[in-house]
Amino acid sequence: MTLFDKCRHYTAAREAQAAGVYPYFVPIEQSTSTEVLVDGHWKVMVGSNNYLGLTHHPKVLDAARKALTKYGSGSTGSRLLNGTLDLHYELEERLARFLKKPAALVFSTGYQSNLGAIAALVGRDDHVFLDKLDHASIIDGAKMAFGEVHRYAHGDFEMLDRKLCTTPAGSGKLVVTDGVFSMEGSVVDLPGLVPVVKKNKAHLMVDDAHALGVLGADGSGTAHHFGLEDQVDLIMVTFSKSLASIGGAVAGPEDVIHYMRHHSRALIFSASMPPSSVAGVLAALDILQHEPERRERLWANTRRMAEGLKALGFDTGKSVTPIIPVVVGDMQTALVMWRGLFDEGVFAHPIVPPAVPPDSCRIRISMTAEHSDEQVDRVIDAFERVARKGMRPRELAGRAVARRG
Ligand SMILES: Cc1ncc(COP(=O)(O)O)c(C=O)c1O
């Protein structure tokens, strides 16, 4: 066996391409905040995380353009060296205030924020505890850390408690959970989790990638949603979703953030967020804070979509957020369903193993504040048509397999 043999034997993606059900790396030719042009056809985008619909907001674009002119196209260096702008500090101060924490640290992506925070904090004799459904970046951060990694069944805080109890007294313990679970659209039971963390003298980090701008009366996320800001030690956020850009941050106690600033390899050994992105995020944060009606519109769209799909008999699982999974069954069924919707002018995502168990593959929809009622209804109608045309997922799956054969 040579190193490359596994590449020659990897056929799954090519088989899906041949069957016309390959859903990845679709090139987008143009976009608005709610639609994308693919192969000359406009499709309603319900696969983005553009929750507040700010990617094309004139204030965000204007701020990005001004920063481009003032600072150039890239930072060309790590935060530690030449890659820190006054804008990075401004964003850190603004985020810390908004998330009600003493300090914050900005990374180049959300992924790196989790890597950087967890790997820096969880040292050789420490322990990190992860929910089974935590995001891959949390798992990768834990793998990079020198400490021991423990995983508990999704939402099973009794199992977590047992695992915490058996770690040596005096060792450092970090529990990391998603605020909103990205494959389910469900919210962590923070009131159930916090007492277990406190009882075991552990620290708690919440990944609020999908909660920022979405949960809490002011959009500041899961801790605020439950009134538990004081009980969450570290809040991680991304800028690639509600804040319509790229980048991420971790907010927490001043000395912890200071330590991360000097020990996070994902921060120190990677170039910083480009100026236009930082300026765009600052503008988006302004809008998030001053236009609460966007959040209201997001939730109205979410209700309209979820109710419409449920009325058609679709299973939307445990979703209580703008992430709406439509559980359809096995992988082939999900891929064929995705293709039916795509042909109907809907850009959604099939979610398949290893992201979800093999028998609960799904089409995942994410809503934005900018979707119109007409667009929401168009998506619901597309789901209905895929079903009504006799293109029930399992039959479609049969066709695709036949075509492949
Ligand atoms: C829960 C969660 N955490 C972290 C990330 C990583 O964020 P980014 O894509 O901004 O790097 C994502 C991205 O999908 C996510 O869903």
Side-chain angles (χ1 to χ4, degrees):
M1 273 290 260
T2 74
L3 187 70
F4 290 172
D5 280 347
K6 60 177 159 303
C7 312
R8 271 195 299 281
H9 297 140
Y10 172 66
T11 56
R14 291 195 205 287
E15 283 172 23
Q17 282 165 338
V21 291
Y22 181 73
Y24 306 123
F25 302 99
V26 174
I28 290 169
E29 292 146 13
Q30 198 183 332
S31 60
T32 69
S33 57
T34 55
E35 300 208 350
V36 290
L37 188 67
V38 178
D39 211 9
H41 299 282
W42 284 98
K43 298 181 191 297
V44 183
M45 172 53 87
V46 283
S48 85
N49 298 124
N50 190 12
Y51 294 120
L52 299 179
L54 297 180
T55 48
H56 295 66
H57 194 290
K59 285 186 187 162
V60 173
L61 298 185
D62 194 41
R65 262 186 229 108
K66 282 189 176 134
L68 201 55
T69 308
K70 185 171 175 191
Y71 300 93
S73 59
S75 63
T76 65
S78 146
R79 289 292 310 277
L80 186 76
L81 303 173
N82 59 308
T84 293
L85 306 174
D86 50 358
L87 289 182
H88 288 104
Y89 278 125
E90 186 183 339
L91 182 55
E92 287 173 349
E93 279 160 27
R94 290 272 308 279
L95 281 170
R97 234 177 300 138
F98 183 53
L99 298 172
K100 299 168 200 73
K101 292 289 166 208
L105 182 60
V106 165
F107 293 76
S108 300
T109 66
Y111 182 86
Q112 283 171 270
S113 309
N114 274 332
L115 246 52
I118 298 168
L121 280 181
V122 180
R124 237 168 255 292
D125 297 321
D126 299 328
H127 297 257
V128 57
F129 300 81
L130 313 181
D131 186 295
K132 271 267 161 62
L133 294 190
D134 274 353
H135 188 260
S137 54
I138 297 174
I139 296 161
D140 293 355
K143 275 191 200 160
M144 269 178 70
F146 285 116
E148 196 174 327
V149 184
H150 309 259
R151 299 189 75 182
Y152 57 94
H154 177 50
D156 188 342
F157 302 145
E158 282 177 20
M159 184 189 285
L160 170 64
D161 193 20
R162 284 197 299 278
K163 287 179 184 268
L164 280 163
C165 285
T166 53
T167 52
S171 57
K173 298 168 208 168
L174 179 67
V175 177
V176 191
T177 180
D178 284 19
V180 171
F181 289 92
S182 55
M183 298 301 147
E184 314 287 316
S186 57
V187 179
V188 66
D189 173 15
L190 215 47
L193 175 57
V194 163
V196 176
V197 173
K198 297 291 155 191
K199 183 187 126 197
N200 289 284
K201 297 190 170 44
H203 286 103
L204 178 59
M205 172 169 166
V206 174
D207 174 335
D208 258 352
H210 297 274
L212 184 75
V214 175
L215 289 186
D218 62 357
S220 67
T222 310
H224 187 69
H225 171 75
F226 288 110
L228 290 170
E229 292 99 322
D230 296 349
Q231 308 297 315
V232 174
D233 301 290
L234 296 167
I235 299 176
M236 174 272 175
V237 294
T238 64
F239 308 146
S240 62
K241 305 184 193 305
S242 283
L243 296 179
S245 183
I246 188 154
V250 179
E254 198 281 328
D255 52 353
V256 177
I257 297 299
H258 177 77
Y259 181 85
M260 277 183 202
R261 213 180 266 286
H262 298 93
H263 291 83
S264 286
R265 295 171 69 84
L267 180 89
I268 294 170
F269 296 107
S270 186
S272 66
M273 265 181 87
S276 53
S277 298
V278 190
V281 171
L282 279 163
L285 189 57
D286 258 341
I287 300 166
L288 186 163
Q289 291 184 274
H290 294 113
E291 294 183 20
E293 59 277 15
R294 280 189 175 267
R295 206 158 35 259
E296 284 159 27
R297 179 76 199 151
L298 169 66
W299 282 102
N301 283 342
T302 300
R303 281 191 294 275
R304 190 179 184 94
M305 182 66 86
E307 282 162 18
L309 289 171
K310 279 187 209 155
L312 288 176
F314 286 101
D315 171 9
T316 58
K318 294 183 187 135
S319 170
V320 288
T321 68
I323 297 173
I324 306 173
V326 179
V327 182
V328 294
D330 62 18
M331 177 158 114
Q332 190 66 31
T333 307
L335 292 179
V336 174
M337 184 86 186
W338 162 79
R339 180 60 203 242
L341 290 165
F342 194 73
D343 291 346
E344 292 281 347
V346 174
F347 196 119
H349 296 300
I351 308 290
V352 299
V356 289
D359 59 348
S360 77
C361 295
R362 56 203 64 184
I363 303 293
R364 187 179 63 171
I365 287 174
S366 317
M367 303 308 298
T368 96
E370 293 258 317
H371 282 126
S372 64
D373 286 353
E374 186 273 324
Q375 286 172 321
V376 175
D377 294 347
R378 216 185 317 152
V379 173
I380 296 169
D381 288 349
F383 268 90
E384 187 178 25
R385 267 198 306 281
V386 169
R388 189 159 30 81
K389 270 186 201 161
M391 295 169 72
R392 293 237 170 241
R394 272 174 210 288
E395 292 162 26
L396 264 174
R399 278 196 221 172
V401 170
R403 234 182 311 160
R404 190 179 55 186

